[in-house]
Amino acid sequence: MAPVPPTLMGAPCIYGDRTTLQHWLKHYWQKLQLPEHELTHLAITQDRQEFMRWTGKRLNLMTLGCYCYVTMAQALRKEYWHLIFIEPDLQPKSIEVTVAHELIHLADRVNGTPRKHRHHGYDSIAADEAAVTGYGLEELRALLFEESKRREEMRRARRPIRYIYECPSCGKQYPRTRRYSRPVSCSSCDKHYNPQFRLQESNAAPA
């Protein structure tokens, strides 16, 4: 899917809870000492479909926030966008932290040092998040765990677990919303397909 970024209007484009997003955007933009001119290339949305249209990329249902840098040729020059998604169904503190988190990614891009997560909540980005928000790392990890758990519960409500597959060797279970369409083996016993560890549908009732 080709990206279709929003039209830049010379100021941040904010779609969603404008008052809250604008407040935290201004607060953390200043704390991260980001250049004012980059605001004219920024768009934030709380609509998943809109963000996917902007970026041309699908969002995982578990995603709480996302930053994406998009460049496209516009006439005789190249234009760029800083695009941010913030999940609307978050606690107030989580919205604050998520805005700060995505602006850290934006700052990395502006500074020419983009980073990828090694482990959410336990990497250098998490340390920077704690430093800029003033919240402790353990508090941020607990918040991330709580929000992820809420998203998982919502996901399960939409697509409940109907099948349990089990490895005949190690006994590891694999919950599924749908049956596998082809033979699959246990990834813990062998990273490649191995019929010796082929998963079998279990009689255990889904939790």
Side-chain angles (χ1 to χ4, degrees), residues 47-81:
D47 186 312
R48 288 173 178 268
Q49 295 300 320
E50 186 166 51
F51 187 78
M52 288 191 283
R53 184 169 60 252
W54 286 356
T55 62
K57 299 178 180 178
R58 288 190 175 278
L59 274 177
N60 188 298
L61 185 63
M62 295 298 291
T63 299
L64 304 178
C66 187
Y67 165 77
C68 189
Y69 178 74
V70 171
T71 60
M72 293 180 68
Q74 298 287 335
L76 299 177
R77 62 193 177 91
K78 183 175 285 187
E79 187 59 271
Y80 68 91
W81 290 260

Tab-separated table of all heavy atoms in Angstrom, residues 47-81:
chain	number	residue	atom	x	y	z
A	47	ASP	N	-6.274	7.775	15.074
A	47	ASP	CA	-7.073	6.899	14.221
A	47	ASP	C	-6.144	5.920	13.510
A	47	ASP	O	-5.288	6.333	12.711
A	47	ASP	CB	-7.836	7.746	13.199
A	47	ASP	CG	-8.802	6.927	12.352
A	47	ASP	OD1	-8.393	5.872	11.836
A	47	ASP	OD2	-9.958	7.365	12.185
A	48	ARG	N	-6.274	4.628	13.787
A	48	ARG	CA	-5.394	3.614	13.205
A	48	ARG	C	-5.472	3.585	11.677
A	48	ARG	O	-4.453	3.486	10.998
A	48	ARG	CB	-5.744	2.221	13.753
A	48	ARG	CG	-5.332	2.022	15.180
A	48	ARG	CD	-5.817	0.718	15.779
A	48	ARG	NE	-5.308	0.620	17.128
A	48	ARG	CZ	-4.160	0.035	17.457
A	48	ARG	NH1	-3.439	-0.544	16.534
A	48	ARG	NH2	-3.754	0.008	18.703
A	49	GLN	N	-6.685	3.655	11.162
A	49	GLN	CA	-6.854	3.608	9.712
A	49	GLN	C	-6.194	4.801	9.038
A	49	GLN	O	-5.590	4.676	7.971
A	49	GLN	CB	-8.346	3.543	9.361
A	49	GLN	CG	-9.053	2.283	9.824
A	49	GLN	CD	-8.451	1.017	9.219
A	49	GLN	OE1	-8.099	0.987	8.048
A	49	GLN	NE2	-8.340	-0.024	10.025
A	50	GLU	N	-6.310	5.946	9.671
A	50	GLU	CA	-5.696	7.150	9.117
A	50	GLU	C	-4.173	7.033	9.110
A	50	GLU	O	-3.519	7.382	8.131
A	50	GLU	CB	-6.125	8.377	9.926
A	50	GLU	CG	-5.648	9.695	9.347
A	50	GLU	CD	-6.365	10.869	9.984
A	50	GLU	OE1	-6.412	10.949	11.234
A	50	GLU	OE2	-6.894	11.707	9.236
A	51	PHE	N	-3.617	6.521	10.202
A	51	PHE	CA	-2.169	6.353	10.276
A	51	PHE	C	-1.677	5.361	9.229
A	51	PHE	O	-0.635	5.564	8.602
A	51	PHE	CB	-1.749	5.888	11.671
A	51	PHE	CG	-0.260	5.857	11.884
A	51	PHE	CD1	0.444	7.023	12.130
A	51	PHE	CD2	0.440	4.658	11.832
A	51	PHE	CE1	1.818	7.003	12.326
A	51	PHE	CE2	1.816	4.628	12.014
A	51	PHE	CZ	2.508	5.801	12.271
A	52	MET	N	-2.425	4.286	9.026
A	52	MET	CA	-2.048	3.297	8.018
A	52	MET	C	-2.123	3.891	6.614
A	52	MET	O	-1.307	3.572	5.751
A	52	MET	CB	-2.932	2.050	8.147
A	52	MET	CG	-2.611	1.208	9.375
A	52	MET	SD	-3.425	-0.417	9.380
A	52	MET	CE	-5.092	0.048	9.834
A	53	ARG	N	-3.094	4.776	6.405
A	53	ARG	CA	-3.201	5.439	5.103
A	53	ARG	C	-2.021	6.387	4.894
A	53	ARG	O	-1.442	6.447	3.813
A	53	ARG	CB	-4.528	6.194	5.020
A	53	ARG	CG	-4.792	6.838	3.672
A	53	ARG	CD	-6.218	7.326	3.557
A	53	ARG	NE	-6.558	8.326	4.560
A	53	ARG	CZ	-7.353	8.106	5.602
A	53	ARG	NH1	-7.880	6.915	5.804
A	53	ARG	NH2	-7.620	9.067	6.462
A	54	TRP	N	-1.662	7.116	5.945
A	54	TRP	CA	-0.525	8.041	5.865
A	54	TRP	C	0.779	7.316	5.526
A	54	TRP	O	1.566	7.780	4.714
A	54	TRP	CB	-0.333	8.754	7.191
A	54	TRP	CG	-1.331	9.809	7.512
A	54	TRP	CD1	-2.352	10.267	6.720
A	54	TRP	CD2	-1.417	10.538	8.738
A	54	TRP	NE1	-3.058	11.243	7.374
A	54	TRP	CE2	-2.514	11.435	8.606
A	54	TRP	CE3	-0.686	10.535	9.925
A	54	TRP	CZ2	-2.868	12.316	9.638
A	54	TRP	CZ3	-1.039	11.401	10.940
A	54	TRP	CH2	-2.137	12.288	10.796
A	55	THR	N	1.014	6.205	6.217
A	55	THR	CA	2.319	5.536	6.141
A	55	THR	C	2.373	4.383	5.147
A	55	THR	O	3.466	3.969	4.750
A	55	THR	CB	2.711	4.986	7.522
A	55	THR	OG1	1.744	4.004	7.935
A	55	THR	CG2	2.771	6.093	8.568
A	56	GLY	N	1.200	3.825	4.791
A	56	GLY	CA	1.186	2.659	3.923
A	56	GLY	C	1.545	1.384	4.658
A	56	GLY	O	1.809	0.351	4.047
A	57	LYS	N	1.559	1.440	6.009
A	57	LYS	CA	1.940	0.277	6.812
A	57	LYS	C	0.813	-0.090	7.771
A	57	LYS	O	0.134	0.779	8.311
A	57	LYS	CB	3.214	0.575	7.617
A	57	LYS	CG	4.422	0.891	6.754
A	57	LYS	CD	5.619	1.218	7.618
A	57	LYS	CE	6.845	1.542	6.770
A	57	LYS	NZ	8.017	1.903	7.603
A	58	ARG	N	0.654	-1.394	7.999
A	58	ARG	CA	-0.360	-1.869	8.933
A	58	ARG	C	0.133	-1.740	10.372
A	58	ARG	O	1.309	-1.960	10.650
A	58	ARG	CB	-0.716	-3.332	8.657
A	58	ARG	CG	-1.529	-3.528	7.390
A	58	ARG	CD	-2.050	-4.941	7.287
A	58	ARG	NE	-2.915	-5.104	6.142
A	58	ARG	CZ	-4.189	-4.770	6.123
A	58	ARG	NH1	-4.756	-4.254	7.202
A	58	ARG	NH2	-4.919	-4.939	5.042
A	59	LEU	N	-0.785	-1.420	11.261
A	59	LEU	CA	-0.463	-1.340	12.682
A	59	LEU	C	-0.919	-2.611	13.380
A	59	LEU	O	-2.056	-3.051	13.190
A	59	LEU	CB	-1.173	-0.150	13.328
A	59	LEU	CG	-0.498	1.217	13.283
A	59	LEU	CD1	-1.420	2.250	13.916
A	59	LEU	CD2	0.839	1.199	14.008
A	60	ASN	N	-0.050	-3.188	14.181
A	60	ASN	CA	-0.436	-4.318	15.014
A	60	ASN	C	-1.478	-3.858	16.020
A	60	ASN	O	-1.394	-2.740	16.548
A	60	ASN	CB	0.811	-4.860	15.732
A	60	ASN	CG	0.537	-6.146	16.478
A	60	ASN	OD1	-0.276	-6.193	17.399
A	60	ASN	ND2	1.223	-7.189	16.096
A	61	LEU	N	-2.462	-4.701	16.296
A	61	LEU	CA	-3.522	-4.340	17.235
A	61	LEU	C	-2.968	-4.013	18.621
A	61	LEU	O	-3.550	-3.238	19.373
A	61	LEU	CB	-4.550	-5.480	17.341
A	61	LEU	CG	-5.791	-5.202	18.188
A	61	LEU	CD1	-6.601	-4.054	17.593
A	61	LEU	CD2	-6.649	-6.445	18.312
A	62	MET	N	-1.800	-4.587	18.959
A	62	MET	CA	-1.205	-4.371	20.277
A	62	MET	C	-0.421	-3.059	20.360
A	62	MET	O	0.017	-2.659	21.431
A	62	MET	CB	-0.278	-5.535	20.622
A	62	MET	CG	-0.980	-6.869	20.787
A	62	MET	SD	-2.156	-6.858	22.144
A	62	MET	CE	-1.029	-6.747	23.532
A	63	THR	N	-0.235	-2.388	19.232
A	63	THR	CA	0.548	-1.155	19.205
A	63	THR	C	-0.133	-0.038	19.989
A	63	THR	O	-1.296	0.275	19.759
A	63	THR	CB	0.776	-0.687	17.750
A	63	THR	OG1	1.498	-1.698	17.045
A	63	THR	CG2	1.564	0.609	17.706
A	64	LEU	N	0.616	0.564	20.926
A	64	LEU	CA	0.084	1.668	21.725
A	64	LEU	C	0.463	3.013	21.124
A	64	LEU	O	-0.231	4.009	21.314
A	64	LEU	CB	0.623	1.577	23.164
A	64	LEU	CG	0.353	0.266	23.906
A	64	LEU	CD1	0.997	0.303	25.290
A	64	LEU	CD2	-1.139	0.010	24.019
A	65	GLY	N	1.576	3.051	20.420
A	65	GLY	CA	2.042	4.273	19.779
A	65	GLY	C	3.034	3.910	18.700
A	65	GLY	O	3.630	2.832	18.732
A	66	CYS	N	3.205	4.806	17.734
A	66	CYS	CA	4.126	4.499	16.639
A	66	CYS	C	4.624	5.798	16.008
A	66	CYS	O	3.858	6.757	15.845
A	66	CYS	CB	3.427	3.651	15.586
A	66	CYS	SG	4.535	3.058	14.275
A	67	TYR	N	5.917	5.831	15.683
A	67	TYR	CA	6.501	6.961	14.949
A	67	TYR	C	6.989	6.447	13.611
A	67	TYR	O	7.604	5.382	13.528
A	67	TYR	CB	7.678	7.571	15.719
A	67	TYR	CG	8.526	8.489	14.862
A	67	TYR	CD1	8.089	9.779	14.557
A	67	TYR	CD2	9.735	8.058	14.329
A	67	TYR	CE1	8.851	10.611	13.748
A	67	TYR	CE2	10.507	8.886	13.519
A	67	TYR	CZ	10.062	10.166	13.235
A	67	TYR	OH	10.810	10.987	12.429
A	68	CYS	N	6.711	7.198	12.562
A	68	CYS	CA	7.155	6.805	11.229
A	68	CYS	C	7.650	8.040	10.476
A	68	CYS	O	6.990	9.085	10.489
A	68	CYS	CB	6.010	6.142	10.467
A	68	CYS	SG	6.513	5.395	8.895
A	69	TYR	N	8.805	7.910	9.845
A	69	TYR	CA	9.381	8.987	9.039
A	69	TYR	C	9.149	8.641	7.578
A	69	TYR	O	9.543	7.571	7.118
A	69	TYR	CB	10.877	9.100	9.339
A	69	TYR	CG	11.613	10.153	8.542
A	69	TYR	CD1	11.448	11.506	8.840
A	69	TYR	CD2	12.491	9.792	7.508
A	69	TYR	CE1	12.137	12.480	8.130
A	69	TYR	CE2	13.174	10.762	6.792
A	69	TYR	CZ	12.997	12.105	7.111
A	69	TYR	OH	13.679	13.062	6.405
A	70	VAL	N	8.473	9.520	6.854
A	70	VAL	CA	8.123	9.262	5.461
A	70	VAL	C	8.672	10.373	4.569
A	70	VAL	O	8.552	11.560	4.899
A	70	VAL	CB	6.592	9.171	5.289
A	70	VAL	CG1	6.209	9.119	3.818
A	70	VAL	CG2	6.044	7.944	6.007
A	71	THR	N	9.293	9.977	3.469
A	71	THR	CA	9.751	10.957	2.482
A	71	THR	C	9.115	10.623	1.135
A	71	THR	O	8.924	9.457	0.800
A	71	THR	CB	11.280	10.940	2.324
A	71	THR	OG1	11.697	9.637	1.883
A	71	THR	CG2	11.968	11.267	3.632
A	72	MET	N	8.787	11.669	0.398
A	72	MET	CA	8.210	11.487	-0.926
A	72	MET	C	8.641	12.639	-1.820
A	72	MET	O	8.846	13.761	-1.350
A	72	MET	CB	6.677	11.444	-0.855
A	72	MET	CG	6.128	10.225	-0.143
A	72	MET	SD	4.318	10.227	-0.097
A	72	MET	CE	3.919	9.985	-1.824
A	73	ALA	N	8.788	12.348	-3.109
A	73	ALA	CA	9.124	13.390	-4.079
A	73	ALA	C	7.887	14.237	-4.346
A	73	ALA	O	6.831	13.713	-4.692
A	73	ALA	CB	9.645	12.768	-5.363
A	74	GLN	N	7.998	15.527	-4.142
A	74	GLN	CA	6.909	16.465	-4.401
A	74	GLN	C	7.401	17.491	-5.413
A	74	GLN	O	8.236	18.342	-5.100
A	74	GLN	CB	6.482	17.164	-3.095
A	74	GLN	CG	5.939	16.220	-2.031
A	74	GLN	CD	4.568	15.702	-2.366
A	74	GLN	OE1	3.823	16.327	-3.096
A	74	GLN	NE2	4.230	14.534	-1.834
A	75	ALA	N	6.894	17.411	-6.635
A	75	ALA	CA	7.341	18.292	-7.727
A	75	ALA	C	8.846	18.135	-7.912
A	75	ALA	O	9.327	17.046	-8.173
A	75	ALA	CB	6.943	19.733	-7.441
A	76	LEU	N	9.598	19.233	-7.717
A	76	LEU	CA	11.049	19.178	-7.946
A	76	LEU	C	11.833	19.007	-6.650
A	76	LEU	O	13.061	19.113	-6.652
A	76	LEU	CB	11.514	20.463	-8.663
A	76	LEU	CG	10.887	20.696	-10.049
A	76	LEU	CD1	11.364	22.035	-10.605
A	76	LEU	CD2	11.239	19.559	-11.001
A	77	ARG	N	11.154	18.754	-5.542
A	77	ARG	CA	11.867	18.593	-4.278
A	77	ARG	C	11.309	17.414	-3.496
A	77	ARG	O	10.225	16.918	-3.787
A	77	ARG	CB	11.787	19.870	-3.439
A	77	ARG	CG	10.366	20.266	-3.046
A	77	ARG	CD	10.314	21.684	-2.507
A	77	ARG	NE	8.951	22.086	-2.188
A	77	ARG	CZ	8.387	21.927	-1.006
A	77	ARG	NH1	9.074	21.356	-0.028
A	77	ARG	NH2	7.150	22.328	-0.784
A	78	LYS	N	12.058	17.008	-2.506
A	78	LYS	CA	11.636	15.893	-1.666
A	78	LYS	C	11.033	16.442	-0.378
A	78	LYS	O	11.642	17.286	0.282
A	78	LYS	CB	12.823	14.982	-1.351
A	78	LYS	CG	12.442	13.747	-0.543
A	78	LYS	CD	13.617	12.808	-0.356
A	78	LYS	CE	13.916	12.057	-1.630
A	78	LYS	NZ	14.952	11.015	-1.424
A	79	GLU	N	9.845	16.000	-0.046
A	79	GLU	CA	9.166	16.422	1.171
A	79	GLU	C	9.246	15.291	2.184
A	79	GLU	O	9.374	14.122	1.834
A	79	GLU	CB	7.708	16.754	0.855
A	79	GLU	CG	6.928	17.369	2.008
A	79	GLU	CD	7.535	18.657	2.500
A	79	GLU	OE1	8.411	18.565	3.396
A	79	GLU	OE2	7.154	19.730	2.030
A	80	TYR	N	9.180	15.646	3.471
A	80	TYR	CA	9.220	14.615	4.516
A	80	TYR	C	8.212	14.927	5.610
A	80	TYR	O	7.804	16.059	5.801
A	80	TYR	CB	10.632	14.486	5.098
A	80	TYR	CG	11.110	15.687	5.901
A	80	TYR	CD1	10.896	15.760	7.279
A	80	TYR	CD2	11.793	16.739	5.287
A	80	TYR	CE1	11.343	16.844	8.012
A	80	TYR	CE2	12.247	17.827	6.011
A	80	TYR	CZ	12.016	17.884	7.369
A	80	TYR	OH	12.455	18.966	8.105
A	81	TRP	N	7.811	13.857	6.296
A	81	TRP	CA	6.829	13.941	7.374
A	81	TRP	C	7.315	13.154	8.592
A	81	TRP	O	7.910	12.087	8.459
A	81	TRP	CB	5.494	13.332	6.945
A	81	TRP	CG	4.712	14.064	5.929
A	81	TRP	CD1	3.630	14.886	6.129
A	81	TRP	CD2	4.909	14.026	4.504
A	81	TRP	NE1	3.161	15.351	4.927
A	81	TRP	CE2	3.926	14.847	3.918
A	81	TRP	CE3	5.833	13.378	3.684
A	81	TRP	CZ2	3.831	15.038	2.548
A	81	TRP	CZ3	5.742	13.563	2.303
A	81	TRP	CH2	4.756	14.387	1.752
